[in-house]
Amino acid sequence: QIDKYLYAMRLSDETLIDIMARFRREMKNGLSRDFNPTATVKMLPTFVRSIPDGSEKGDFIALDLGGSYFRILRVKVSHEKKQTVQMESEIYNTPEDIMHGSGTRLFDHVAECLGDFMEKQQIKDKKLPVGFTFSFPCRQSKLDEGILITWTKRFKASGVEGADVVRLLNRAIKKRGDYDADIMAVVNDTVGTMMTCGFDDQRCEVGLIIGTGTNACYMEEMRHIDLVEGDEGRMCINTEWGAFGDDGSLEDIRTEFDREIDRGSLNPGKQLFEKMVSGLYMGELVRLILVKMAKEGLLFEGRITPELLTKGKFETKHVSAIEKSKEGLNKAKEILTRLGVEPSHEDCIAVQHVCTIVSFRSANLVASTLGAILNQLRDNKGVGRLRTTVGVDGSLYKMHPQYARRLHKTTRRLVPDSEVRFLLSESGSGKGAAMVTAVAYRLSEQHRLIDETLAEFKLTHEQLLQVKKRMRAEMEAGLKKKTHETAKVKMLPTFVRSTPDGTENGDFLALDLGGTNFRVLLVKIRSGKRRTVEMHNKIYAIPIEVMQGTGEELFDHIVTCISDFLDYMGIKGARLPLGFTFSFPCKQTSLDAGILLNWTKGFKATDCEGEDVVYLLREGIKRREEFDLDVVAVVNDTVGTMMTCAYEDPNCEIGLIVGTGSNACYMEEMRNIEMVDGEQGRMCVNTEWGAFGDNGCLDDIRTIYDKAVDDYSLNAGKQRYEKMISGMYLGEIVRNILIDFTKRGFLFRGQISETLKTRHIFETKFLSQIERKSWRALLGSPEIILLSARARACAEGLFTTSSEFLAVVTAKSWEGLSRIPILCPWQCYARQMLRDLPHPLPLFPFCSFSRIMHQTVKDLAPNCDVTFLLSEDGSGKGAALITAVGCRLRDAEQ
C-alpha cells in the first residue's frame, strides 16, 4: 500500500539513466562561456590545479564554515621518515542570530573565534598560511578570492552575497588588530574533501558531500573550461549541483511533498535537487508524508498530534535510527511515541518503509549525478574503463546505516565501465583546506625557485648585443691569416664563388650526409624560358655502429647506397657530375677537396679527421669497381641551402641551418678572406659557428645545464654554441633541468626514475609538441610513460610544470640565433634564406621559434631589411646546383 502511495519516489534505472544524461547536459552548459550565465549548475572553477603530491610540509591554519558549527584546525605537515599530518582542532558554535544577521557580525564572529584559537595555540605572533573552507556557492577568479553567489543551508547574513568573503574576513581580522593571517585559499567543502582524500589516495579526483547539503567537485580538463584562460592541465570544478532542477528540468520526478518542502524553505525555487536528497530536508520530507498518510487514515488510526504537525520535529537522524536493521522498529516506536502518537507494530513497519523509500531515492539521485561526472572523467581520459577514487564526507553518508551501500551499488550499476573506490574523509574538509593551502604554498615556493633557476636563460638585450659583438670579433679572427689557426669560428672558404645565374643545365647526382639519414639524389636541371628542376631521391639509414666505426666502413656504406640508387634509377653506366653535401667542418683547398677538421653530431668514424673526404669517397668508389663518378664539389649543408634558395631568388646571400646542428654561411668579399689569394669578387664562407664559445667567450651565459650536456657529450669542450641552441641538445638540456627540479622536489615527488636518468630520453620533438599545445599526445609515448611508476600522474605533472618553463629554455637558443645580420656586415640588406635539416624535428618550423628569432633579429639589427625564406628542397638540391655552377665555370675556363 505504501509502495503504491509513494510510487513517484521509486525511480527506475531507466529514469536514473535519463537524469544522468540531463545532468551531463547541465554540466556542459555550466562549463560553456555562452551558456554559463543562464545555467543552473554553475560548474565554478576553483583554481585548485593539483592534488597533494606528498612533498607538502609546513604549519597551516584551516577554517571550516558551512553549518551551525564552525571548526578551526591547526595542521602540521612534516617529513621526518614519511609524510605525517598532525591536527588540533576546536569547534565553535554559530548562533542562529549570527547566521541570519549582518555579514559584518558573521565575519567578526569568525575572526573572534580564530583569535581565540590562536591564543590557545600560542601562535598569535605568527603569520601562518590559512585555508578557508567556505561551503557555499562562490565565483572565483583566483585561489584566494571567493565571491558569494547565494547563501544556502539556512544562512542569510546580509551584505555578503556578491562580496568577496576573503576580503570580508581580512577586514574583520584587521579591525581586531591582535593577530595577522595570510589567507592563501578559499575552497568549497567538496574540494576540501577531495584534497583530504587525495592526500591518502592520489587517484582521488572527485569530492562528494552528502550531509546537511549536497555537492560534488571533480578534476576537469582545462580545455573544457571556457571561463578560465588556458588549455593545459586540469582544474577542480565545483559543480554546485544542489541547484540542479532549478530551471524545471526535474519537475517530472518532483512530488507534492518536495514542492511543499520548497515552499516552506528560506529560498523557494532554489537548490531543488538538494532539497530532494540532503540531510537538511530528509526528516521533514518523511514528516510531511506521515502527516498526509495519517490524515487519510493510513497511519496511527488517523490520529494527528500537534508534535507531528510541528515543522522540524522529525529529524534526519530519526530516519537513520529507524532504518537500522535490528533496533529500527524499536527506535521507530520510541520516536513516534515522543511525537504523541501511539503507533502499532504495523505503523512502525510502515514508517520504516517510508524512511527507506525517501532515503533510497536520495541515494539513487546522487548516484545518477555522480555517474554523469564519472562518465565525463572517462571520456576526458579516452579510456574504455575508468579507475578512480571518490572522496566522500557528510553526516548522511556517514551516519545513515544503509545509505553508503545503496549509493555504491546504484553507482556501479549505472556506470558499469567504471571501477570506483569510495573513500570516506576521516578528517573532514578542514584538513582539505589546509592541504589546498599546503599545495598552494608548495607551488608558490616552487615557482619562485624555478623562476630563479631559469632566470639565466632569459638573456637581456644588452647581453645579446655583447654576444653579437663577440661573434663579430670571432668572425674577423677566423678570416685573418694571422689568427685563423687559433680562431674557434673557422670562417672556412668554400671556393663557391657564384650563385646560380639560370643558365645551368644537365643531370647531376647529389649526396647529402649530415645526420643518421643519408640521401642520394638525381637532379635534372633544365634552363631556358621555363626553368625546371626535377628531383628523384632515396633515403638510407646510417647505423650507429657505422657512424662510430672506421672511416673505410663509413665510406663503403655510402658507396653501397650510391650503387643501390644508380641501379634503382637505371643510370649506372653514366659518369655523372656529383656534388657532395658533407655537413661537418671542413677546410677546403678547392671546390672538390675538403679536409675534415673534426666530427660533430654523434659521428666518430676513425681515420677521417685530417683527411680529404672527396679522396675517401673516390677511394670507396674504386674499391667497389662498379661505376665511376665525376666529383665536382664538396659543400657544407648551409652552402647547399643558400644555393637552393638562390636558384629561386638571386638576392639570396646567406644560408642558415637550424636543425640537428646549427651553422651559417654567407657570401663574403674576397678582399676580406686572407686565407685565399685574390681580392676580386666574392666567395661563400662557411662560418662553422657551432664552435663559437669553445675559447670560453660565452662562459658568462652558459648555465650549469649547458655544462652538464657538454661534459657528457662525445666531444666535450667543443661545439659549445651548437650545444646551447641546436635540436640535438635542447631536449637533453631540458632533461637535465627536469632531473635537477626532481632532486629539489619540484617534480615527481622528488623521485627520479631510471628512465629519466637515460640520456636523450627527452627528445627535442617533445618541445615542439609542448609549444604546439599538443602535449597530451605525449602521454601515449612509451618513453614518457616510463618516466615514473605513476605514469599518468607524473607525466601530467611534468607537462603542467614544463609548459611554464620550456619556452624560457628554448628562447635562449632562439635569441642566440639573432646574430644573423652580422654574418653579412658589409651587405646589411641581404635576403636571408633558411632551411631545416632532413631531421624528424627541425627547430625552425617551431611557431614560437621562428617568431622569436625573427623579432630578435629585428631588434638587434634595426637597420637591416631581412627576409627569411624556408628552403623546401633541402641542401641536396643545393649540392647539385653548386655542381652545375662548377661545371659551367669549368667549361668556361676550358
Side-chain angles (χ1 to χ4, degrees):
Q1 194 177 17
I2 291 170
D3 282 347
K4 189 175 179 181
Y5 193 79
L6 295 178
Y7 174 78
M9 283 193 167
R10 299 182 72 87
L11 305 173
S12 67
D13 278 3
E14 187 181 357
T15 301
L16 294 176
I17 289 168
D18 182 47
I19 292 166
M20 195 159 65
R22 295 182 209 179
F23 186 67
R24 189 84 183 268
R25 285 194 295 273
E26 291 295 326
M27 288 170 65
K28 189 176 180 182
N29 287 341
L31 290 170
S32 161
R33 182 180 282 107
D34 295 335
F35 295 105
N36 178 272
T38 56
T40 52
V41 179
K42 284 298 181 187
M43 304 295 285
L44 302 170
T46 65
F47 293 84
V48 172
R49 299 171 186 265
S50 172
I51 59 173
D53 71 355
S55 66
E56 293 76 18
K57 58 184 176 182
D59 198 352
F60 307 95
I61 298 289
L63 314 179
D64 193 350
L65 178 66
S68 53
Y69 295 101
F70 170 53
R71 196 158 66 118
I72 305 179
L73 305 91
R74 184 180 182 186
V75 181
K76 294 180 184 176
V77 186
S78 60
H79 280 274
E80 290 174 7
K81 291 185 178 177
K82 62 175 185 176
Q83 191 175 44
T84 57
V85 177
Q86 290 178 293
M87 292 195 301
E88 297 173 74
S89 68
E90 193 88 29
I91 294 176
Y92 296 87
N93 190 35
T94 309
E96 193 89 4
D97 62 316
I98 286 180
M99 290 166 64
H100 296 166
S102 71
T104 303
R105 275 192 71 201
L106 172 63
F107 285 98
D108 283 348
H109 173 70
V110 172
E112 184 183 343
C113 295
L114 180 56
D116 177 74
F117 180 80
M118 293 179 80
E119 183 82 49
K120 289 176 180 175
Q121 291 286 321
Q122 298 181 336
I123 51 173
K124 266 195 168 181
D125 58 332
K126 296 181 180 179
K127 187 179 180 181
L128 296 182
V130 177
F132 187 11
T133 299
F134 188 73
S135 308
F136 306 94
C138 284
R139 193 175 301 283
Q140 291 183 261
S141 62
K142 51 187 178 178
L143 189 59
D144 60 351
E145 172 196 85
I147 310 296
L148 178 64
I149 296 171
T150 182
W151 283 117
T152 58
K153 307 174 200 170
R154 293 193 301 211
F155 274 73
K156 269 292 181 183
S158 62
V160 183
E161 290 181 355
D164 177 8
V165 296
V166 174
R167 186 175 292 177
L168 294 175
L169 179 54
N170 274 328
R171 189 185 299 161
I173 292 170
K174 192 173 181 181
K175 189 164 63 177
R176 287 178 58 86
D178 59 338
Y179 67 89
D180 201 359
D182 182 14
I183 302 172
M184 292 191 71
V186 58
V187 298
N188 190 275
D189 51 353
T190 51
V191 182
T193 296
M194 183 187 76
M195 295 296 277
T196 298
C197 295
F199 181 78
D200 298 314
D201 182 346
Q202 292 191 339
R203 285 189 185 276
C204 184
E205 49 192 349
V206 182
L208 174 61
I209 299 285
I210 317 166
T212 308
T214 184
N215 194 14
C217 68
Y218 72 102
M219 295 302 290
E220 178 59 88
E221 299 291 324
M222 281 291 292
R223 66 182 184 274
H224 295 151
I225 307 171
D226 286 357
L227 300 173
V228 181
E229 290 298 318
D231 288 337
E232 302 307 340
R234 302 198 297 171
M235 181 181 287
C236 181
I237 289 291
N238 166 22
T239 65
E240 287 299 339
W241 75 12
F244 180 34
D246 287 5
D247 59 352
S249 60
L250 295 179
E251 286 308 302
D252 57 326
I253 63 165
R254 289 177 76 221
T255 65
E256 58 183 290
F257 309 109
D258 295 311
R259 293 185 175 92
E260 193 171 342
I261 285 273
D262 181 43
R263 283 194 296 273
S265 69
L266 285 169
N267 54 351
K270 294 182 178 179
Q271 300 294 109
L272 298 184
F273 180 73
E274 184 169 77
K275 289 168 184 171
M276 295 169 76
V277 304
S278 76
L280 185 61
Y281 304 98
M282 187 175 286
E284 185 65 9
L285 265 175
V286 171
R287 186 189 70 81
L288 292 174
I289 292 167
L290 298 185
V291 168
K292 184 171 183 187
M293 289 180 73
K295 282 180 179 178
E296 295 182 11
L298 298 172
L299 282 176
F300 318 133
E301 296 179 348
R303 291 189 301 277
I304 300 173
T305 65
E307 289 86 355
L308 187 61
L309 287 172
T310 303
K311 182 179 178 181
K313 276 290 184 180
F314 197 98
E315 299 176 49
T316 299
K317 67 181 180 182
H318 297 148
V319 177
S320 297
I322 289 169
E323 284 200 65
K324 287 182 178 175
S325 53
K326 290 182 180 176
E327 61 212 71
L329 290 176
N330 290 335
K331 288 287 183 183
K333 186 168 186 177
E334 186 183 310
I335 292 161
L336 291 170
T337 300
R338 285 204 302 268
L339 291 174
V341 296
E342 298 173 11
S344 64
H345 182 67
E346 287 72 22
D347 286 336
C348 290
I349 292 173
V351 170
Q352 188 181 56
H353 200 48
V354 169
C355 289
T356 299
I357 289 172
V358 171
S359 64
F360 218 129
R361 182 186 72 156
S362 169
N364 283 344
L365 286 171
V366 171
S368 65
T369 47
L370 177 60
I373 289 175
L374 295 173
N375 282 340
Q376 178 84 353
L377 285 172
R378 191 194 67 224
D379 291 350
N380 284 350
K381 293 181 179 183
V383 294
R385 185 168 184 80
L386 175 71
R387 286 186 67 195
T388 194
T389 297
V390 177
V392 197
D393 199 1
S395 54
L396 183 57
Y397 181 87
K398 288 196 278 193
M399 305 306 293
H400 191 287
Q402 312 292 337
Y403 197 96
R405 183 180 58 80
R406 291 169 184 165
L407 173 66
H408 302 172
K409 192 173 179 181
T410 307
T411 301
R412 287 168 181 144
R413 199 170 66 244
L414 293 178
V415 282
D417 44 11
S418 293
E419 189 178 315
V420 185
R421 180 190 181 207
F422 289 87
L423 181 60
L424 182 63
S425 171
E426 301 291 350
S427 312
S429 55
K431 175 184 171 184
M435 295 315 301
V436 171
T437 307
V439 170
Y441 187 75
R442 167 173 62 83
L443 293 175
S444 173
E445 189 64 10
Q446 284 180 5
H447 278 112
R448 185 183 66 78
L449 293 170
I450 285 169
D451 287 344
E452 279 181 15
T453 303
L454 296 176
E456 292 181 73
F457 286 97
K458 298 177 181 178
L459 301 183
T460 65
H461 185 75
E462 289 70 28
Q463 283 176 305
L464 290 173
L465 287 174
Q466 272 300 311
V467 174
K468 175 179 169 180
K469 185 178 177 181
R470 294 171 201 173
M471 180 63 177
R472 177 70 176 266
E474 291 294 316
M475 289 171 64
E476 289 176 357
L479 289 170
K480 292 183 184 301
K481 189 177 288 186
K482 185 179 176 182
T483 51
H484 177 81
E485 283 304 314
T486 57
K488 295 301 179 182
V489 179
K490 283 298 181 186
M491 305 296 287
L492 302 171
T494 66
F495 293 84
V496 173
R497 299 171 184 271
S498 171
T499 53
D501 67 359
T503 64
E504 292 76 20
N505 195 73
D507 294 352
F508 304 91
L509 274 183
L511 312 181
D512 193 351
L513 177 67
T516 52
N517 291 328
F518 168 61
R519 222 164 34 127
V520 186
L521 305 91
L522 173 64
V523 183
K524 298 183 177 184
I525 303 172
R526 300 293 179 263
S527 58
K529 288 183 179 178
R530 295 185 62 186
R531 294 189 306 163
T532 60
V533 177
E534 180 186 330
M535 293 199 301
H536 305 270
N537 73 86
K538 203 169 178 183
I539 295 174
Y540 299 90
I542 299 185
I544 190 77
E545 60 270 18
V546 173
M547 290 169 63
Q548 298 179 10
T550 67
E552 192 169 295
E553 288 169 343
L554 174 62
F555 280 93
D556 282 349
H557 179 75
I558 290 169
V559 171
T560 300
C561 297
I562 296 170
S563 175
D564 176 78
F565 181 77
L566 295 175
D567 283 335
Y568 173 70
M569 295 302 300
I571 53 173
K572 215 167 201 176
R575 187 175 185 270
L576 295 176
L578 180 141
F580 187 9
T581 298
F582 188 73
S583 306
F584 304 93
C586 283
K587 182 177 181 179
Q588 289 187 250
T589 54
S590 64
L591 188 59
D592 64 347
I595 311 299
L596 175 63
L597 298 179
N598 58 275
W599 284 117
T600 58
K601 307 173 197 170
F603 277 72
K604 271 288 181 182
T606 60
D607 305 319
C608 294
E609 292 181 356
E611 299 294 330
D612 177 6
V613 294
V614 175
Y615 172 78
L616 295 177
L617 176 61
R618 285 171 175 157
E619 287 300 300
I621 293 171
K622 282 181 186 176
R623 284 195 297 273
R624 186 85 183 181
E625 295 181 345
E626 281 186 16
F627 56 86
D628 193 17
L629 296 171
D630 177 17
V631 184
V632 174
V634 59
V635 297
N636 190 273
D637 50 354
T638 50
V639 183
T641 293
M642 183 186 73
M643 296 296 277
T644 297
C645 294
Y647 187 72
E648 306 298 330
D649 184 340
N651 290 320
C652 177
E653 303 176 305
I654 294 177
L656 172 64
I657 296 290
V658 196
T660 307
S662 181
N663 194 17
C665 69
Y666 70 102
M667 295 301 292
E668 178 59 272
E669 299 295 319
M670 281 294 295
R671 66 178 180 271
N672 295 323
I673 308 172
E674 295 184 6
M675 301 300 295
V676 180
D677 292 336
E679 293 201 355
Q680 297 303 310
R682 299 194 301 169
M683 181 181 287
C684 180
V685 168
N686 166 22
T687 67
E688 287 298 340
W689 75 9
F692 180 33
D694 287 3
N695 57 359
C697 70
L698 295 181
D699 284 357
D700 59 326
I701 64 167
R702 288 176 76 223
T703 67
I704 56 170
Y705 309 108
D706 295 312
K707 290 167 186 170
V709 168
D710 181 35
D711 289 344
Y712 288 98
S713 66
L714 287 169
N715 55 348
K718 296 181 178 179
Q719 300 294 112
R720 288 180 176 179
Y721 179 66
E722 183 170 77
K723 288 168 187 170
M724 293 166 74
I725 68 170
S726 74
M728 188 167 182
Y729 300 99
L730 285 189
E732 190 61 9
I733 290 172
V734 171
R735 188 185 69 86
N736 277 276
I737 293 171
L738 298 185
I739 288 174
D740 182 35
F741 283 4
T742 306
K743 283 179 181 175
R744 292 159 72 181
F746 302 163
L747 294 173
F748 311 141
R749 301 183 73 182
Q751 297 174 20
I752 304 173
S753 71
E754 287 303 312
T755 311
L756 187 56
K757 292 177 186 175
T758 306
R759 291 179 62 228
H760 304 297
I761 196 71
F762 195 99
E763 299 176 43
T764 301
K765 69 180 179 183
F766 295 161
L767 276 70
S768 175
Q769 289 168 324
I770 290 165
E771 283 290 310
R772 290 197 304 265
K773 296 187 178 180
S774 61
W775 60 262
R776 281 183 192 82
L778 298 184
L779 295 180
S781 164
E783 296 94 331
I784 294 301
I785 286 175
L786 287 169
L787 280 178
S788 148
R790 295 170 207 65
R792 277 188 182 276
C794 286
E796 182 133 342
L798 160 66
F799 291 113
T800 300
T801 306
S802 62
S803 60
E804 296 176 1
F805 67 76
L806 278 177
V808 178
V809 180
T810 51
K812 175 179 173 182
S813 73
W814 303 335
E815 290 167 344
L817 291 170
S818 61
R819 270 75 73 183
I820 296 167
I822 60 166
L823 294 178
C824 44
W826 297 279
Q827 297 88 33
C828 268
Y829 293 90
R831 295 174 72 82
Q832 304 187 17
M833 308 308 175
L834 306 179
R835 58 136 347 228
D836 56 276
L837 282 172
H839 178 275
L841 187 83
L843 287 183
F844 181 71
F846 281 16
C847 175
S848 299
F849 188 106
S850 55
R851 177 177 53 79
I852 293 174
M853 190 183 75
H854 294 176
Q855 185 58 49
T856 311
V857 169
K858 190 175 179 182
D859 293 343
L860 294 179
N863 297 322
C864 296
D865 181 12
V866 182
T867 299
F868 295 91
L869 178 65
L870 186 65
S871 169
E872 303 292 348
D873 299 316
S875 56
K877 175 182 172 183
L881 285 163
I882 290 170
T883 304
V885 171
C887 288
R888 170 168 61 79
L889 296 176
R890 185 174 65 185
D891 291 346
E893 286 174 10
Q894 290 173 354

